[in-house]
Amino acid sequence: MSKYTLPELGYSYDALEPHIDKETMELHHSKHHASYVAGLNSALEKLEAARASGDFSAVKHLSREVAFHGSGHALHNIFWKNMGPNGGGEPSSELADAIKNEFGSFDAFKGQFMAAAGAVEGSGWAILGLHKGDDGIDKLMIVQAEKHQNLTVQGITPLLVIDVWEHAYYLRYQNKRPDYVKAFFNVINWNDVAERYSKARA
Amino acid sequence: MYSRRDMLKVFGAGIVGSQIANPEIATAFNSLPVDESGKFVLPALDYSYDALEPNIDKQTMELHHSKHHQGYVNGLNKALDNLMETREKDDMSLVKHWSRELAFHGSGHFLHSIFWKNMSPKGGGEPVGEVAKAINKDFGSFEKFKNHFYSAAKSVEGVGWGILGYHPAADKLMILQAEKHHNLTVHGVVPLLVVDVWEHAYYLRYQNKRGDYIKAFFNVINWNDVEERLKAVR
């Protein structure tokens, strides 16, 4: 069985200064994200062993571990790519139109996204996602995650995610999460978000 | 005439508010202080923000107490106000939301109030008295308790607490996790010793090294406070 690995960032740890500090980027990527990769691989190995032995007594625990670490790994992969040193500004063309249609305006979208990020109870994420139903309705939605896997809306593909676990901002911003969320808008790589949007609609 | 023990059984441990006949009992319970209008207020620390250095840093203590804990006090008052409004207006449409807010902020305020008293600049060492006896009975030894408590606190998924509690109906000490402040509660357990493992409790000094922070916490535990709490609830 092949293992998951920690992806490269694609930019240096200090590339998002002053919005996100170098020390946070290094800890966040090389320690926190790395632990989700390790946790996911470990849980999957144990499930493989369970299938081999026929002993599923730990399947509840291992399923929870896959949910937590697997979601953590998936969201962090998206997070690093959602950001870049030349980020910021606003989206254009199809994504911009879709945001305007769904939320009324870019500012209204931004307002809800920032409020959702600020209101996450405990650790989690705010997520702009595309919801595709069997009924053929494609809808942009802003959802929260608690931890990584809780409050998932089945059917949503994440397009733009912001980590609001305290480790994502506490060294630079301390308790001032809203300031961090504001700063995040200066590093968003809207090209990456737009690519995800068109892939998700296909 | 009621004995002190009878009064404790009637009111239970960790009473909210100051509507207590005997102020001596209020002190023993470390009751949650309120202002003249009955609103909860942030309790004062018994020591200065730098008193727990180098185990817990001054900046963390200041942010943790004056910002984070204050936020839970405010949230608790707001939830109770809104629940009162739902009753007055007979509009129950948001009772689910305000019940969740009450659970989160109320538990946050309660646990932090215990946390500050559980620590002291003169803390550390090992318990004696009833706590020591109970730890040996229910965990085998202090070392086994410490190892379990450390591991429980370290492995909390996301934000939460490690908790040593006493369950009166079972007459047993138990080590629990909390996620956030109110999840994984075992009904009936009274918290005696709590360690906050939200990242804001340790990230400035320890970054991702939660285990080192928990080890340092053991240097500041005020076992006298833990002893008082166990005596008050048994």
Side-chain angles (χ1 to χ4, degrees):
Chain A
M1 183 177 67
S2 62
K3 284 178 187 291
Y4 288 98
T5 57
L6 183 68
E8 297 276 317
L9 268 195
Y11 42 82
S12 60
Y13 285 137
D14 64 358
L16 304 181
E17 287 271 12
H19 310 293
I20 305 184
D21 57 294
K22 176 183 181 184
E23 191 184 0
T24 291
M25 289 299 291
E26 180 160 9
L27 284 162
H28 202 172
H29 178 252
S30 70
K31 304 284 186 216
H32 292 279
H33 186 178
S35 76
Y36 301 131
V37 175
L40 175 58
N41 284 330
S42 169
L44 290 172
E45 264 169 46
K46 293 193 176 124
L47 282 166
E48 190 176 33
R51 290 190 293 274
S53 68
D55 175 4
F56 291 107
S57 52
V59 75
K60 179 158 84 171
H61 173 62
L62 294 173
S63 302
R64 285 168 165 168
E65 291 287 283
V66 170
F68 176 70
H69 293 287
S71 299
H73 177 44
L75 288 176
H76 281 89
N77 280 345
I78 299 171
F79 186 50
W80 307 132
K81 298 232 178 325
N82 278 167
M83 297 188 290
N86 301 312
E90 295 188 16
S92 53
S93 57
E94 280 179 353
L95 178 57
D97 290 340
I99 284 177
K100 202 176 293 172
N101 284 337
E102 186 55 52
F103 300 108
S105 67
F106 178 74
D107 281 343
F109 150 73
K110 188 175 174 181
Q112 184 179 339
F113 188 84
M114 295 206 306
V120 170
E121 189 176 275
S123 59
W125 301 72
I127 296 171
L128 169 68
L130 182 71
H131 186 270
K132 292 176 78 95
D134 264 20
D135 47 17
I137 298 176
D138 283 3
K139 207 174 172 61
L140 285 178
M141 290 185 183
I142 295 169
V143 298
Q144 293 179 334
E146 289 188 11
K147 294 192 278 188
H148 305 299
Q149 74 280 32
N150 286 2
L151 306 187
T152 316
V153 177
Q154 305 291 356
I156 276 201
T157 300
L159 308 177
L160 173 69
V161 304
I162 179 176
D163 188 344
V164 293
W165 283 58
E166 285 168 335
H167 63 238
Y169 62 88
Y170 212 82
L171 294 180
R172 173 66 51 96
Y173 295 94
Q174 289 86 60
N175 62 308
K176 299 191 288 303
R177 191 195 291 178
D179 288 354
Y180 156 71
V181 176
K182 255 190 225 130
F184 172 74
F185 271 81
N186 295 323
V187 298
I188 296 175
N189 175 357
W190 286 108
N191 289 335
D192 177 73
V193 186
E195 252 185 62
R196 292 177 192 278
Y197 176 61
S198 48
K199 272 207 196 105
R201 293 173 75 203
Chain B
M1 191 61 203
Y2 288 111
S3 72
R4 188 173 188 166
R5 186 166 289 276
D6 291 332
M7 293 292 270
L8 299 180
K9 282 197 185 128
V10 167
F11 287 104
I15 297 176
V16 163
S18 55
Q19 305 295 326
I20 299 167
N22 185 347
E24 267 182 51
I25 298 177
T27 315
F29 284 129
N30 293 309
S31 60
L32 302 177
V34 292
D35 64 17
E36 322 75 39
S37 69
K39 291 215 181 303
F40 295 103
V41 295
L42 184 69
L45 293 188
D46 296 329
Y47 40 82
S48 60
Y49 286 137
D50 63 358
L52 304 181
E53 288 271 13
N55 298 290
I56 304 185
D57 58 293
K58 176 184 181 184
Q59 191 189 6
T60 291
M61 288 300 291
E62 180 161 8
L63 284 164
H64 202 172
H65 179 251
S66 70
K67 305 283 184 219
H68 292 280
H69 187 177
Q70 181 70 67
Y72 301 129
V73 173
N74 298 344
L76 171 58
N77 286 328
K78 186 173 173 188
L80 290 172
D81 281 348
N82 277 280
L83 284 167
M84 180 174 69
E85 262 198 53
T86 70
R87 289 189 295 274
E88 309 277 283
K89 299 194 171 137
D90 191 17
D91 173 6
M92 294 294 152
S93 56
L94 286 176
V95 77
K96 177 159 83 172
H97 172 66
W98 292 115
S99 300
R100 285 168 167 167
E101 291 288 287
L102 172 60
F104 177 70
H105 293 284
S107 299
H109 175 37
F110 189 66
L111 288 178
H112 281 89
S113 301
I114 297 172
F115 185 49
W116 307 132
K117 298 255 186 239
N118 279 164
M119 297 189 290
S120 162
K122 304 196 201 92
E126 295 191 13
V128 296
E130 291 196 30
V131 171
K133 270 198 218 106
I135 282 179
N136 286 333
K137 167 180 160 286
D138 291 323
F139 301 113
S141 69
F142 180 72
E143 278 312 305
K144 287 183 180 154
F145 151 74
K146 188 173 175 180
N147 191 25
H148 180 173
F149 186 86
Y150 168 86
S151 304
K154 185 156 191 273
S155 67
V156 169
E157 190 175 282
V159 299
W161 298 73
I163 296 173
L164 170 66
Y166 176 73
H167 200 302
D171 185 25
K172 251 180 152 47
L173 290 181
M174 293 181 182
I175 292 168
L176 307 179
Q177 293 182 331
E179 290 188 12
K180 293 193 275 190
H181 303 299
H182 54 302
N183 286 0
L184 307 187
T185 321
V186 174
H187 291 293
V189 169
V190 177
L192 306 178
L193 173 69
V194 302
V195 63
D196 188 346
V197 293
W198 285 58
E199 284 166 336
H200 63 238
Y202 61 89
Y203 213 82
L204 295 180
R205 173 67 49 96
Y206 295 93
Q207 290 84 65
N208 62 308
K209 301 194 286 302
R210 188 193 283 182
D212 289 355
Y213 155 72
I214 298 164
K215 280 194 197 118
F217 171 74
F218 270 81
N219 296 330
V220 298
I221 294 176
N222 175 359
W223 287 108
N224 291 336
D225 179 69
V226 183
E227 181 86 1
E228 262 184 68
R229 288 176 194 280
L230 179 59
K231 284 185 173 141
V233 79
R234 274 224 281 220

